[in-house]
Amino acid sequence: MGTPEFPDLGKHCSVDICKQIDFLPFTCDRCLQVFCLDHRSYMKHSCPKGDREDVTVVICPLCAKGVRLNPNEDPNITWEKHVNTDCDPSNYEKATKKKKCPVPRCKEQLTFSNTIKCRDCNIDHCLKHRFGPDHTCPGPRKPEPSFLSFMSGSSSSSKKKEAKTTKPNKASSSSRWSNLLSSAEAGISKLGNDISHKLQFSSSSSGNDGMVEVCPQCGAKFSSVAVLVEHVEKTHERNKKQNHGKSHKY
């Protein structure tokens, strides 16, 4: 078995009448024996543990429920347990009766793929009768009068509350605007007074600053030295000459 390079390659089938060597054998997950391609299934090699994990379900003809058969238990015992404990014949019609389209003379069975619920009447219909005119839809349900009265009362009360809340808001907003206007006017007047005061101060200071030179004899102020010299020559020198001439005469 195998080759010189791979001596462990391939195994014989576990079936006595086969014993075929297979280089890619299959191992049964129940009995853990090796089989060839032809005997890999549970039935082909008659696996003694092949039905332990199988799930067999029988539909009860009385209640249309599924009954799971236990491989390690007699099916008759499993059936008797179901009939005595879980079987409910009233469920048979619910499970077997298929829902159909409610439109008269329509025999279309409603399934998952062809069922549409109408928005107005909330009733399931087939694709052919999905629109309102096709199944004579009565339209959306009208609200009850008690509900309408409740809604109208709530809306009126809410409007009153809004009116009450809006009135003080208007008064408060008007008072705020008046306060803002008065404060703005006061600020503007104060700014104007400051500007006028500064202008007067600058004009007075500029007028005084123009007279820079002061006469040492009479204290008069002049704007330049030339004007001061001219004043001294014309006024004080002339007075000195006049006084000196008077002294010589005496």
Side-chain angles (χ1 to χ4, degrees):
M1 182 174 62
T3 60
E5 292 80 6
F6 302 98
D8 296 331
L9 182 63
K11 293 183 179 180
H12 290 282
C13 180
S14 299
V15 178
D16 296 335
I17 60 175
C18 181
K19 296 296 180 178
Q20 181 182 358
I21 184 172
D22 196 333
F23 293 102
L24 295 173
F26 297 88
T27 302
C28 180
D29 57 351
R30 304 292 174 81
C31 62
L32 302 178
Q33 293 184 3
V34 179
F35 299 95
C36 64
L37 179 64
D38 297 333
H39 299 98
R40 70 183 185 278
S41 62
Y42 302 142
M43 295 179 63
K44 291 293 183 179
H45 66 266
S46 302
C47 185
K49 300 179 181 179
D51 57 349
R52 288 189 177 182
E53 296 183 6
D54 291 343
V55 178
T56 304
V57 179
V58 179
I59 303 299
C60 178
L62 301 177
C63 63
K65 290 183 179 180
V67 181
R68 181 175 178 177
L69 299 180
N70 191 358
N72 298 325
E73 188 179 25
D74 189 3
N76 295 324
I77 297 174
T78 305
W79 181 259
E80 288 180 1
K81 289 181 180 179
H82 166 71
V83 172
N84 295 329
T85 58
D86 196 24
C87 187
D88 185 12
S90 63
N91 188 49
Y92 183 79
E93 293 184 359
K94 296 180 182 178
T96 57
K97 187 178 180 180
K98 295 182 179 180
K99 193 175 182 180
K100 294 183 180 180
C101 182
V103 177
R105 297 181 182 180
C106 182
K107 299 180 180 180
E108 186 72 19
Q109 293 182 357
L110 299 180
T111 59
F112 176 78
S113 60
N114 69 340
T115 302
I116 295 180
K117 181 175 288 187
C118 180
R119 296 180 180 178
D120 297 331
C121 60
N122 293 325
I123 299 175
D124 294 334
H125 296 84
C126 63
L127 294 176
K128 185 178 180 181
H129 301 101
R130 64 184 182 274
F131 298 111
D134 296 333
H135 62 266
T136 61
C137 182
R141 292 186 299 176
K142 296 182 180 179
E144 297 179 357
S146 60
F147 180 75
L148 290 175
S149 62
F150 173 74
M151 291 299 292
S152 61
S154 63
S155 61
S156 61
S157 62
S158 62
K159 287 181 180 178
K160 290 180 180 179
K161 290 181 180 179
E162 289 178 357
K164 290 180 180 179
T165 53
T166 52
K167 287 181 179 179
N169 290 334
K170 289 182 180 179
S172 62
S173 62
S174 61
S175 62
R176 288 178 182 175
W177 278 111
S178 61
N179 294 329
L180 288 173
L181 289 174
S182 60
S183 61
E185 290 176 355
I188 291 171
S189 62
K190 185 177 180 181
L191 181 63
N193 293 330
D194 294 339
I195 292 172
S196 61
H197 179 70
K198 289 181 179 179
L199 289 174
Q200 291 177 1
F201 179 76
S202 62
S203 62
S204 62
S205 62
S206 64
N208 295 328
D209 293 339
M211 303 299 178
V212 176
E213 303 296 333
V214 181
C215 180
Q217 296 182 7
C218 63
K221 295 181 179 181
F222 300 94
S223 60
S224 63
V225 177
V227 178
L228 176 61
V229 171
E230 185 178 359
H231 163 71
V232 171
E233 290 177 353
K234 288 181 179 180
T235 304
H236 299 292
E237 293 293 334
R238 186 181 299 174
N239 292 331
K240 286 181 179 181
K241 289 179 180 180
Q242 290 178 358
N243 294 327
H244 183 69
K246 288 180 180 180
S247 62
H248 283 292
K249 288 179 180 181
Y250 293 112

